[in-house]
């Protein structure tokens, strides 16, 4: 099997037996299969003799929020013209209708012997290997029955139901799945925000809801909003796809807006306890968009850090694997949690890294200027944190009384300082 990329450093790293990103288990997988795997920069070399060609290139959003399919088109244009029978399998997430366009482009190039199948990928970063090897379902949409059958047979060793559809439906299953998961997150975040106002605890609410078999427990964890390279763009793709097709997808507008506002709620929580943030020191713990990945794409930490800088705070940050130094200018980065919280007026749990479960220690309390923990992931036990001498504020849970406010300042400023327009 040949893997082709266009970035020489990535191919060199892979050839050296290393993985150019952080994803648990991928290195062992590559190591175990090294005899059967080759890495190359050359498209023709990668495709030579292949029965299946998987397109797995990135499909980022354009400035308009639509899918930028330029890499998909480049990969297809680079297919050598040959009469060899092969099946092009689309793994990248693409708008509905892409398969039709690819089919037409292949035919126009005389590649009518090349089959086409949509086989969307549902893995999540951080658990990618398990998700890929043990998926909940395999979706295959093809124009020709024989192509669908061949792609299904490729998955013969995988114990999962296969959903065979037309190409457009397969493309839609992927977009609709991510949009629905994002909707659940925005929904529980709004429930959390209301819980704060009415004195309910969202963790208990989510548990009580999730035990209903019609609802289920997954994706009902409130937090600082979703990020990553998939949900934000895929929801935008679906919203715009609907709009471009003449339908106003109202619900998704709300899902997106709730998520954007959620990323900023931590700022209000900090102001509630600290008053103005100008000159205050805030420690951001975790920068990756979620634990077990180094992916910073659309990470809530980026929005949060930018807002805090705009409010005049000194921002210190830590993440065990994600390197945000090229993205976040004006933030100081530290190697340990303890170093990061030293002298801080607040420690904010932004990513649910396991290392942060022991955050509420004596060392942390003594190192901080103000023992305030804002738990953006509800990772910690509020009672334990308070018993350890901290003021605790989670998401959708009862907050501590305002007992850490410096005497000279007022809590709950009705009109918080405006950030410079460029930061929004
Ligand atoms: N990351 C996820 O969790 C996830 C999950 C499911 C689906 N997807 C979808 O999979 C696709 C890829 O996502 P990703 O996160 O792996 O992106 P990525 O940016 O991490 O990786 C894409 C790779 O494709 C390479 N590339 C670009 N043009 C190429 C070309 N012409 N030939 C060969 N390689 C080329 C890039 O150099 C890069 O290494 C996207 O459509 C995404 O929506 C991603």
């Amino acid at each position: 099997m040949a893997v082709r990329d266009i970035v020489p450093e990535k191919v060199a790293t892979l050839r050296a037996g290393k993985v150019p990103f952080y994803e648990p288990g991928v290195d062992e997988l590559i190591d175990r299969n090294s005899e059967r795997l080759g890495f190359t920069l050359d498209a023709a070399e990668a495709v030579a003799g292949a029965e299946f060609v998987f397109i797995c290139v990135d499909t980022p959003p354009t400035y308009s929020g639509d899918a930028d399919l330029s890499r998909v088109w480049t990969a297809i244009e680079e297919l050598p013209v040959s009469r060899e029978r092969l099946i092009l399998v689309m793994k990248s997430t693409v708008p509905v209708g892409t398969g039709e366009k690819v089919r037409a482009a292949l035919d126009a190039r005389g590649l009518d012997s090349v089959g086409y199948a949509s086989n969307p990928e549902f893995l999540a970063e951080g658990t990618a290997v398990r998700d890929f090897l043990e998926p909940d379902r395999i979706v295959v949409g093809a124009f020709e029955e024989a192509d669908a059958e061949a792609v299904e047979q490729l998955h013969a060793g995988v114990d999962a139901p296969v959903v065979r559809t037309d190409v457009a439906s397969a493309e839609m299953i992927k977009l609709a799945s991510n949009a629905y998961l994002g909707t659940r997150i925005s929904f529980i975040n709004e429930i959390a925000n209301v819980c704060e106002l009415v004195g309910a605890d969202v963790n208990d609410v989510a548990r009580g809801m999730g035990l209903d078999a019609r609802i289920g427990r997954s994706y009902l964890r409130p937090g600082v909003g979703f990020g990553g390279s998939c949900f934000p763009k895929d929801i935008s793709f679906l919203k715009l796809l609907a709009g471009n097709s003449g339908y106003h997808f109202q619900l998704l507008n709300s899902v997106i807006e709730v998520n954007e506002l959620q990323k900023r709620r931590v700022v209000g929580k900090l102001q509630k306890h600290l008053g103005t943030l100008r000159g205050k020191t805030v420690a951001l713990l975790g920068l990756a968009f979620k634990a077990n990945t180094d992916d910073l794409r659309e990470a809530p930490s980026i929005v949060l850090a930018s807002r805090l800088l705009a409010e005049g705070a000194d921002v210190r940050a830590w993440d065990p694997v994600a390197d945000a130094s090229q993205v976040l200018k004006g933030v100081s980065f530290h190697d340990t949690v303890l170093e990061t919280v030293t002298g801080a007026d607040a420690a904010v749990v932004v990513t649910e890294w396991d290392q942060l479960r022991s955050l509420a220690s004596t060392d942390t309390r003594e190192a901080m200027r103000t023992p305030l923990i804002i738990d953006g992931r509800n990772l910690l036990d509020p009672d334990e944190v308070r018993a350890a001498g901290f003021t605790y504020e989670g998401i959708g849970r009862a907050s501590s009384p305002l007992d850490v406010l410096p005497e000279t300042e007022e809590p709950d400023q009705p009109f918080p300082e405006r950030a410079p327009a460029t930061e929004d």
Side-chain angles (χ1 to χ4, degrees):
M1 184 176 139
V3 177
R4 190 245 176 166
D5 205 290
I6 52 169
V7 180
E9 296 77 30
K10 288 189 184 180
V11 172
T13 305
L14 287 160
R15 279 184 178 152
K18 300 198 188 86
V19 183
F21 49 83
Y22 180 84
E23 179 63 43
V26 173
D27 44 359
E28 289 114 65
L29 205 57
I30 290 182
D31 192 41
R32 205 161 1 108
N33 294 287
S34 58
E35 298 285 297
R36 306 193 289 146
L37 271 175
F39 301 98
T40 179
L41 286 163
D42 185 352
E45 183 189 327
V47 172
E51 290 168 79
F52 299 88
V53 173
F54 282 76
I55 304 271
C56 318
V57 298
D58 40 329
T59 48
T62 60
Y63 286 117
S64 65
D66 294 285
D68 176 355
L69 297 179
S70 56
R71 294 148 185 84
V72 170
W73 289 119
T74 303
I76 289 167
E77 281 154 20
E78 286 167 341
L79 278 180
V81 180
S82 111
R83 302 310 306 170
E84 299 274 319
R85 173 82 186 142
L86 63 81
I87 302 174
L88 196 61
V89 186
M90 186 61 73
K91 270 277 163 202
S92 296
T93 303
V94 294
V96 181
T98 302
E100 286 280 358
K101 290 180 189 157
V102 173
R103 180 70 270 160
L106 290 171
D107 293 346
R109 281 190 60 204
L111 290 170
D112 37 340
S113 63
V114 173
Y116 182 88
S118 167
N119 175 216
E121 180 52 56
F122 298 95
L123 65 78
E125 287 177 25
T127 51
V129 174
R130 188 197 65 200
D131 294 348
F132 183 77
L133 296 175
E134 299 166 32
D136 291 336
R137 78 301 208 186
I138 294 155
V139 174
V140 182
F143 296 110
E144 302 292 335
E145 199 56 24
D147 294 340
E149 188 59 34
V151 174
E152 180 173 345
Q153 283 311 314
L154 267 187
H155 297 82
V158 178
D159 183 18
V162 177
V163 181
R164 289 259 290 262
T165 69
D166 55 55
V167 172
S169 303
E171 293 166 340
M172 183 56 109
I173 289 170
K174 174 62 190 175
L175 293 182
S177 299
N178 274 1
Y180 178 68
L181 293 173
T183 302
R184 279 176 72 102
I185 296 173
S186 278
F187 180 82
I188 201 65
N189 279 335
E190 290 222 278
I191 293 290
N193 300 341
V194 178
C195 282
E196 288 175 8
L197 297 173
V198 299
D201 186 309
V202 72
N203 277 20
D204 292 340
V205 173
R207 184 161 173 271
M209 286 172 62
L211 287 169
D212 185 326
R214 295 169 302 177
I215 296 174
R217 296 186 68 168
S218 63
Y219 287 80
L220 285 184
R221 286 196 60 164
V224 289
F226 57 78
S229 67
C230 290
F231 285 7
K233 79 167 171 57
D234 293 350
I235 294 172
S236 168
F237 290 176
L238 182 52
K239 181 190 124 169
L240 292 170
L241 173 78
N244 296 340
S245 313
Y247 181 74
H248 177 62
F249 206 142
Q250 198 163 338
L251 181 61
L252 291 185
N253 282 327
S254 301
V255 171
I256 294 165
E257 189 182 2
V258 167
N259 195 51
E260 287 311 309
L261 293 174
Q262 196 70 17
K263 292 179 190 170
R264 296 151 181 257
R265 275 183 75 83
V266 165
V267 176
K269 288 173 185 289
L270 288 165
Q271 287 168 329
K272 178 174 140 190
H273 287 275
L274 300 172
T276 177
L277 299 180
R278 188 157 299 282
K280 301 283 167 30
T281 301
V282 178
L284 297 184
L285 304 175
L287 297 169
F289 85 93
K290 66 174 182 177
N292 295 319
T293 178
D294 58 358
D295 202 337
L296 286 162
R297 289 177 284 188
E298 303 284 334
S301 63
I302 309 288
V303 173
L304 187 52
S306 304
R307 287 295 310 130
L308 291 172
L309 291 172
E311 293 292 335
D314 290 330
V315 182
R316 302 165 68 84
W318 165 89
D319 192 283
V321 290
D323 176 6
S325 56
Q326 295 308 307
V327 189
L328 287 174
K329 300 294 175 194
V331 171
S332 67
F333 298 94
H334 302 272
D335 290 336
T336 67
V337 173
L338 192 59
E339 197 185 309
T340 317
V341 300
T342 297
D345 296 289
V348 182
V349 176
V350 187
T351 310
E352 67 282 25
W353 285 107
D354 270 342
Q355 295 92 317
L356 297 174
R357 290 183 191 278
S358 54
L359 176 64
S361 66
T362 308
D363 284 349
T364 303
R365 200 188 61 238
E366 288 175 354
M368 291 180 74
R369 187 155 61 196
T370 316
L372 168 62
I373 291 179
I374 309 285
D375 183 358
R377 299 285 186 166
N378 287 356
L379 186 72
L380 309 173
D381 180 320
D383 294 336
E384 284 176 16
V385 176
R386 289 188 184 112
F390 292 86
T391 296
Y392 176 86
E393 177 98 23
I395 306 286
R397 311 166 117 178
S399 56
S400 289
L402 299 177
D403 55 2
V404 294
L405 184 72
E407 281 168 14
T408 50
E409 289 162 5
E410 292 294 321
D412 274 329
Q413 296 174 15
F415 302 106
E417 276 179 43
R418 284 184 68 135
T422 50
E423 290 295 328
D424 275 336

